[in-house]
Amino acid sequence: MKLTKEILDSVRNIDGFPIGSDEDIIELSDPPHYTACPNPFINDFIEKYGKPYDEETDDYKCEPYAADVSEGKNDPIYNAHSYHTKVPHKAIMRYILHYTKPGDIVFDGFCGTGMTGVAAQMCGNPDPEFKFKVEKEFEKEGKKVEWGARKAILGDLSPAATFIAYNYNTPVDTTEFEKEAKRILDEVEKECGWMYETIHTIDGIPHKYIDGSVIKGRINYTVWSDVFVCPNCSDEIVFWDAAVNKEDGKVMDEFKCPHCGAAVSKKDLDRAWKTVYDKALNKVINQVKQVPVLINYTVDNKRYEKKPDEFDMELIEKIEEMDIPYWYPTDRMPNGYNTEQPKKSHGITHVHHFYTKRNLWVLSAIYDRIKNSRNLFLHISKFIFTAIVIMATKMSRYGERTGNVSGTLYVPSLIKELNLIEYLKRKLWGAKGILKPLDNIKKFNSDNFYLYLGSTINTLIQSNSVDYIFTDPPFGDNLMYSELNSLWESWLKVFTNNRTEAIINKTQKKGLHEYQELMEKCFSEMYRILKPGRWMTVEFHNSKNAVWNAIQEAILKAGFVIANVRTLDKKQGSFKQVTTTTAVKQDLVISAYKPKEGFVKRFLKEAGTEEGVWDFVSQHLEKLPIVVEVGDRLDIVDERRDYLLYDSMVAFHIQNGASIPMGSSDFYAGLKKRYIERDGMYFLPDQAAIYDSKRAKLELNDQLSFIITDEKMAIQWLKYKLLNKPMTYQELQPLFLEELHQGKHENIPELIDILQENFLKDDDGRWYVPDVNRQSDMEKLREKKLLKDFEEYKNSKGKLKTFRSEAIRVGFKECWRNKDYETVVNVGERLPESFLHEDQTLLMYFDNAQTRLGV
């Protein structure tokens, strides 16, 4: 199938259409499997392989995957091509095997390098060791693995990401490709090998053969050093000479100027700049002065090091004076967070400035031969090329830690200029070379995936057609993908259209609010294309509570219901349950489901009634994990506890514009009447039987950890402490103070006041949890008092600095019931922004009230 300009015109106005000429977009594509634009052929794939959804006959039933997962990043496929962030495909395979059957369609709208597609295809051809390991894991959970390839639809906003993903999922004849790669390398080495030659010297004296000719070595790498200016004597300081301890290679924090002896540090120094004529730009530019200081080279398979001599300096000068006879990119670097350091510290304003002249020449020579090679290997050759583009730059570090600094475009003061011909050989045939993983990919079927380049806001995919979603979305302001990918994309000649890029970025004028809006639009599209009753897994990392809440809010506003959140402990490689939003300094795995259409229609009729509440709870309990085993013990499933079930019910009502028909105490009383309680968790009858069977064999790990940051968590902590053992105030107080970490704006009442408002005291002065009827009466009295506090906040002026967050919650709930959205917005705008964005419940009320008012 061909991608024509006429077809491009039909998708040109769809969100995320890239920046580039039609010819370059067409060249980058391989229709129908991959188009470097929104994919107009995608529904042909669904028509051929999809299974139509029919709610009446649909029998899909699955609880969230909550088992431990441990997968490292040393797999050859994972390491074949670098990227800023990616989840190991073997970890994703477990989720796909759990949620889907062979032939099902898996979707990832933030696919990056396409590991979700790799995982889907590898389910049909796992390596024996991994196959045995997973079967044992599933057997322990009482499940059977259904091996077999799944179909995948992948998408991303970045041309670089989608091109890498396409090659990761497309089989290639490695034997024939190896011949082509060797031909290109031989030609480039014949033309450019002399650029990496140096004279073999010992103690500065050239070594010679018997016939008197000098012995030449092959350069492995050259170290370049920044040059600074001493603030005392104004003489130049070569950073390598003055600041680096040659014995251990470490950079000293403080060092002496070699000219005047003054003690200086790097932060005290200004860089030395030079003026050069840039032929590519046809103008004079300013760049930081850098000089070669060390050459590492090989002679007869033995490595040596030397200081650059006259031959080396003349060689570099000769290359500098010559014109590169091939095309190379000269695009201006985009404005942004990541591009400021190269611009300000080194004068790197355009793509070609990231390379030494020698490495730019070699890269362009390789690229020219790739462009003129047989079409059969054009894409895979470009894939290998992009795999060396970053390490070929001046971002390659010399020192204790080599390689480039991931997630940024940082140019160090000591640069390791690699011999690109040798580096490409290692990238192909080395221990971590690309040919080995290509042999695994060779077993894939290109008919198993379709890939599009564009925004997940509009995928062109039919509604209710996808069986499962696994995705790893952008993490707020952690990574600026369009900036970081600009180097790759300049060689591919197709660039990211970042208008709908879901990041927090000052240059793009996107804050937390804009980020959340874009993520909500993406999740809404995922909700539309996912079959009802099916699951979405979101892998997410951000150390900021506000960004975590923005993602969670976006998922909920899209219509999903969050059933389980676990955190990946990278050090231990296991998942742990998350019960508070303070535990977001690690990777989170969010399990969310799309409710059945029949339930949604029924709920909208019952919204705001008790029937609607219990209809939701029954459906939600059906979707929660029944048993979670950790080692030889059972874990508490927190989402089955009364207060988190109440929070989920409230969230669903708010997102659907319904009033909350009951308070927490009445809700807790209803739970006890309608469902089966085990170990403080609630189950449906058939679930309780499964839990009882497991509980009879395993002990319960019931040691919960609470961090008391606000009044709500203080009440839950006290309930946990007092449920089975009444305690006196004197016994509780030291324990309470030990767990108390009061939030900045939080006005938590005294412990005695919290006890008097929520608990009862026996004749021996011990506090205990009241029965459900007394709880309901006490809650009503407490809410009256809290509403009085809320009235004070409402009628006061200016920003609220300290307050009872429980009073704000109760006030917002009452305003929501009375459809008084204006008060919610007015009070919300006066709350500290950091507080509002870090409290999920308040943020939901505020955002939805704004929506109702059309703000």
Side-chain angles (χ1 to χ4, degrees):
M1 298 180 74
K2 288 191 175 181
L3 190 63
T4 63
K5 290 191 176 186
E6 290 71 27
I7 292 175
L8 288 180
D9 286 339
S10 70
V11 295
R12 201 178 298 279
N13 295 321
I14 293 174
D15 289 307
F17 191 91
I19 299 166
S21 71
D22 288 357
E23 290 77 14
D24 290 324
I25 291 169
I26 290 168
E27 182 179 301
L28 198 62
S29 304
D30 181 21
H33 304 102
Y34 167 49
T35 59
C37 63
N39 194 327
F41 312 108
I42 210 156
N43 283 312
D44 296 338
F45 182 75
I46 293 166
E47 289 292 334
K48 186 174 181 180
Y49 297 112
K51 300 159 195 167
Y53 173 75
D54 182 349
E55 187 155 322
E56 289 186 10
T57 59
D58 184 55
D59 60 354
Y60 180 87
K61 194 174 182 181
C62 190
E63 63 180 78
Y65 186 75
D68 284 357
V69 173
S70 178
E71 277 306 329
K73 298 179 179 180
N74 294 319
D75 188 275
I77 289 180
Y78 185 93
N79 291 313
H81 201 299
S82 64
Y83 199 66
H84 324 297
T85 175
K86 51 183 170 178
V87 182
H89 67 275
K90 287 182 178 177
I92 304 172
M93 284 174 71
R94 290 174 168 86
Y95 291 95
I96 293 175
L97 290 166
H98 173 83
Y99 287 110
T100 68
K101 294 182 180 298
D104 281 356
I105 297 178
V106 178
F107 175 77
D108 185 353
F110 299 100
C111 73
T113 56
M115 290 297 107
T116 299
V118 171
Q121 299 218 55
M122 288 291 277
C123 285
N125 192 32
D127 66 66
E129 186 181 340
F130 179 75
K131 185 173 185 282
F132 178 78
K133 183 180 177 184
V134 170
E135 285 175 348
K136 285 294 181 186
E137 290 172 5
F138 276 55
E139 187 182 314
K140 187 181 177 184
E141 299 291 320
K143 294 178 294 191
K144 192 175 187 326
V145 181
E146 291 190 59
W147 295 105
R150 277 65 168 169
K151 309 295 181 181
I153 297 176
L154 310 172
D156 201 283
L157 195 63
S158 164
T162 55
F163 181 71
I164 295 168
Y166 160 76
N167 282 283
Y168 256 129
N169 283 275
T170 303
V172 65
D173 185 331
T174 46
T175 304
E176 289 302 310
F177 168 67
E178 190 174 1
K179 292 176 185 175
E180 180 69 2
K182 191 173 186 309
R183 181 190 69 78
I184 290 173
L185 262 171
D186 287 346
E187 285 186 16
V188 173
E189 186 156 26
K190 191 176 290 184
E191 178 192 334
C192 303
W194 60 273
M195 296 183 185
Y196 297 111
E197 286 183 348
T198 188
I199 292 175
H200 179 40
T201 62
I202 302 292
D203 297 325
I205 301 169
H207 268 223
K208 299 180 180 180
Y209 291 109
I210 296 173
D211 63 4
S213 61
V214 294
I215 298 172
K216 288 185 179 179
R218 186 189 66 250
I219 294 174
N220 300 309
Y221 62 83
T222 302
V223 179
W224 291 73
S225 170
D226 280 354
V227 179
F228 292 88
V229 177
C230 176
N232 297 290
C233 66
S234 298
D235 276 346
E236 290 185 348
I237 301 174
V238 176
F239 189 67
W240 167 266
D241 293 339
V244 178
N245 184 323
K246 305 304 183 294
E247 290 182 9
D248 57 18
K250 291 183 179 179
V251 175
M252 295 178 280
D253 292 331
E254 193 174 87
F255 46 92
K256 291 184 178 180
C257 170
H259 308 292
C260 67
V264 293
S265 63
K266 186 178 175 182
K267 66 177 185 294
D268 300 327
L269 304 175
D270 291 325
R271 285 179 169 82
W273 292 76
K274 62 179 182 177
T275 302
V276 296
Y277 178 69
D278 187 331
K279 285 186 179 180
L281 300 180
N282 193 26
K283 67 176 184 179
V284 173
I285 62 169
N286 290 320
Q287 287 197 318
V288 155
K289 189 173 182 181
Q290 294 170 310
V291 294
V293 291
L294 178 74
I295 293 176
N296 180 291
Y297 65 101
T298 297
V299 175
D300 295 330
N301 294 319
K302 188 176 179 182
R303 286 194 171 225
Y304 300 90
E305 287 188 347
K306 58 179 271 194
K307 186 176 181 179
D309 53 30
E310 187 178 350
F311 174 87
D312 301 309
M313 301 306 288
E314 286 178 355
L315 176 68
I316 291 168
E317 191 175 338
K318 177 183 177 181
I319 295 169
E320 287 292 331
E321 289 174 352
M322 295 173 70
D323 291 335
I324 298 176
Y326 308 107
W327 174 88
Y328 54 85
T330 58
D331 304 272
R332 175 176 280 278
M333 293 302 295
N335 291 326
Y337 172 79
N338 286 288
T339 55
E340 283 305 297
Q341 192 269 347
K343 288 176 186 176
K344 289 181 178 178
S345 69
H346 287 80
I348 294 174
T349 57
H350 291 69
V351 172
H352 60 292
H353 296 158
F354 270 97
Y355 305 95
T356 63
K357 183 74 172 285
R358 170 166 48 196
N359 276 4
L360 184 61
W361 189 316
V362 174
L363 274 179
S364 62
I366 295 169
Y367 192 77
D368 183 74
R369 284 161 176 83
I370 288 172
K371 291 274 287 183
N372 294 313
S373 67
R374 287 183 292 159
N375 271 341
L376 187 63
F377 298 114
L378 178 63
H379 288 98
I380 190 63
S381 297
K382 281 188 180 179
F383 174 74
I384 309 295
F385 180 84
T386 57
I388 68 169
V389 158
I390 303 301
M391 283 298 292
T393 67
K394 295 178 181 178
M395 294 187 292
S396 177
R397 294 175 293 179
Y398 176 82
E400 286 183 279
R401 301 185 68 183
T402 58
N404 64 307
V405 182
S406 62
T408 184
L409 298 177
Y410 176 77
V411 177
S413 290
L414 295 174
I415 295 164
K416 185 177 183 180
E417 181 201 15
L418 296 173
N419 176 332
L420 284 194
I421 296 171
E422 294 303 314
Y423 179 61
L424 183 52
K425 287 178 184 176
R426 291 201 306 277
K427 199 65 185 171
L428 285 164
W429 292 286
K432 292 184 177 181
I434 241 164
L435 289 175
K436 183 179 177 182
L438 283 183
D439 263 339
N440 291 325
I441 294 169
K442 184 168 68 174
K443 300 165 188 172
F444 288 180
N445 184 343
S446 57
D447 287 335
N448 281 340
F449 82 99
Y450 264 38
L451 179 60
Y452 69 88
L453 192 166
S455 173
T456 300
I457 289 171
N458 187 349
T459 63
L460 299 181
I461 297 171
Q462 295 173 14
S463 298
N464 298 339
S465 59
V466 169
D467 297 294
Y468 171 60
I469 295 172
F470 183 97
T471 194
D472 177 17
F475 312 152
D477 58 358
N478 280 24
L479 293 166
M480 307 297 156
Y481 292 93
S482 60
E483 296 173 21
L484 296 171
N485 291 348
S486 58
L487 282 173
W488 281 317
E489 291 171 3
S490 66
W491 287 96
L492 298 174
K493 298 185 182 179
V494 184
F495 293 86
T496 301
N497 180 342
N498 65 19
R499 191 181 67 81
T500 58
E501 185 178 17
I503 56 173
I504 297 172
N505 184 303
K506 286 182 181 178
T507 306
Q508 295 183 25
K509 297 180 181 176
K510 291 173 186 171
L512 183 64
H513 177 70
E514 288 75 19
Y515 168 73
Q516 182 179 317
E517 276 192 338
L518 286 164
M519 287 307 306
E520 184 189 333
K521 288 178 180 176
C522 292
F523 284 127
S524 293
E525 177 70 352
M526 293 187 207
Y527 183 90
R528 183 186 68 77
I529 67 176
L530 184 65
K531 291 176 181 175
R534 302 314 198 267
W535 288 91
M536 173 176 73
T537 302
V538 181
E539 199 274 348
F540 184 77
H541 177 88
N542 192 287
S543 60
K544 297 174 183 174
N545 287 346
V547 176
W548 154 237
N549 275 331
I551 272 285
Q552 195 168 215
E553 175 81 353
I555 292 170
L556 293 171
K557 287 189 81 173
F560 287 101
V561 181
I562 294 173
N564 188 246
V565 181
R566 303 185 80 79
T567 181
L568 172 60
D569 185 333
K570 284 186 174 177
K571 188 176 180 182
Q572 297 180 356
S574 64
F575 286 95
K576 299 176 181 177
Q577 207 136 14
V578 178
T579 55
T580 72
T581 57
T582 55
V584 296
K585 298 190 185 300
Q586 298 169 3
D587 280 30
L588 297 170
V589 178
I590 306 164
S591 300
Y593 62 89
K594 176 178 177 177
K596 289 277 186 86
E597 288 178 337
F599 163 76
V600 174
K601 288 175 184 175
R602 195 166 64 249
F603 177 83
L604 292 175
K605 286 181 183 177
E606 302 169 342
T609 67
E610 284 197 28
E611 289 81 3
V613 168
W614 303 121
D615 207 0
F616 168 79
V617 173
S618 294
Q619 184 214 228
H620 193 52
L621 286 174
E622 191 180 299
K623 292 290 187 180
L624 297 180
I626 300 171
V627 174
V628 176
E629 293 183 48
V630 178
D632 58 351
R633 299 173 78 88
L634 289 183
D635 234 2
I636 291 286
V637 181
D638 285 288
E639 288 84 1
R640 290 186 176 275
R641 288 183 173 273
D642 54 9
Y643 73 98
L644 284 181
L645 284 169
Y646 181 72
D647 284 352
S648 294
M649 181 274 292
V650 168
F652 193 75
H653 278 68
I654 295 170
Q655 301 299 355
N656 285 279
S659 60
I660 294 95
M662 63 179 71
S664 58
S665 295
D666 290 336
F667 179 82
Y668 300 154
L671 279 177
K672 285 186 177 293
K673 287 179 186 175
R674 289 171 172 79
Y675 305 99
I676 299 170
E677 184 185 359
R678 294 285 188 270
D679 298 322
M681 299 175 285
Y682 289 89
F683 298 87
L684 299 172
D686 59 330
Q687 295 175 332
I690 296 169
Y691 182 79
D692 288 343
S693 174
K694 279 285 185 182
R695 185 73 174 83
K697 301 172 187 173
L698 298 173
E699 289 294 316
L700 183 69
N701 179 20
D702 61 350
Q703 295 301 309
L704 296 182
S705 62
F706 285 86
I707 299 174
I708 302 172
T709 57
D710 60 16
E711 188 176 347
K712 181 181 178 182
M713 288 309 298
I715 293 168
Q716 295 306 325
W717 180 84
L718 286 166
K719 276 187 180 178
Y720 175 66
K721 286 292 182 186
L722 299 175
L723 195 59
N724 299 315
K725 180 190 174 187
M727 299 173 73
T728 65
Y729 174 81
Q730 288 76 16
E731 291 172 323
L732 283 167
Q733 190 188 34
L735 300 174
F736 180 79
L737 293 175
E738 191 176 320
E739 302 295 338
L740 181 62
H741 299 276
Q742 187 165 323
K744 181 180 176 183
H745 304 285
E746 187 68 39
N747 184 12
I748 301 179
E750 293 294 327
L751 174 61
I752 191 66
D753 295 325
I754 298 174
L755 287 167
Q756 288 170 350
E757 287 182 8
N758 299 276
F759 302 90
L760 293 175
K761 190 162 61 169
D762 64 17
D763 294 337
D764 297 323
R766 298 178 304 172
W767 293 94
Y768 65 93
V769 179
D771 63 42
V772 289
N773 293 323
R774 292 295 299 276
Q775 262 186 351
S776 181
D777 293 338
M778 292 178 76
E779 183 182 27
K780 285 167 187 171
L781 289 171
R782 177 171 172 268
E783 283 197 357
K784 280 186 181 178
K785 186 177 179 183
L786 289 169
L787 283 172
K788 282 184 181 178
D789 290 346
F790 180 75
E791 281 296 314
E792 287 183 21
Y793 303 149
K794 174 184 166 182
N795 296 324
S796 64
K797 293 181 179 179
K799 284 281 186 183
L800 295 167
K801 294 181 180 177
T802 57
F803 39 82
R804 283 180 79 174
S805 57
E806 279 294 276
I808 304 291
R809 287 191 191 97
V810 169
F812 277 14
K813 177 185 163 188
E814 182 69 10
C815 290
W816 186 263
R817 187 176 68 82
N818 296 326
K819 295 184 170 56
D820 182 6
Y821 307 126
E822 196 170 339
T823 296
V824 174
V825 172
N826 289 339
V827 174
E829 286 175 341
R830 292 170 51 221
L831 292 170
E833 190 176 353
S834 59
F835 171 79
L836 180 65
H837 283 287
E838 292 188 12
D839 189 297
Q840 184 198 339
T841 305
L842 296 181
L843 186 62
M844 275 193 299
Y845 278 120
F846 180 74
D847 279 353
N848 282 277
Q850 282 189 317
T851 302
R852 297 289 180 279
L853 293 172
V855 177

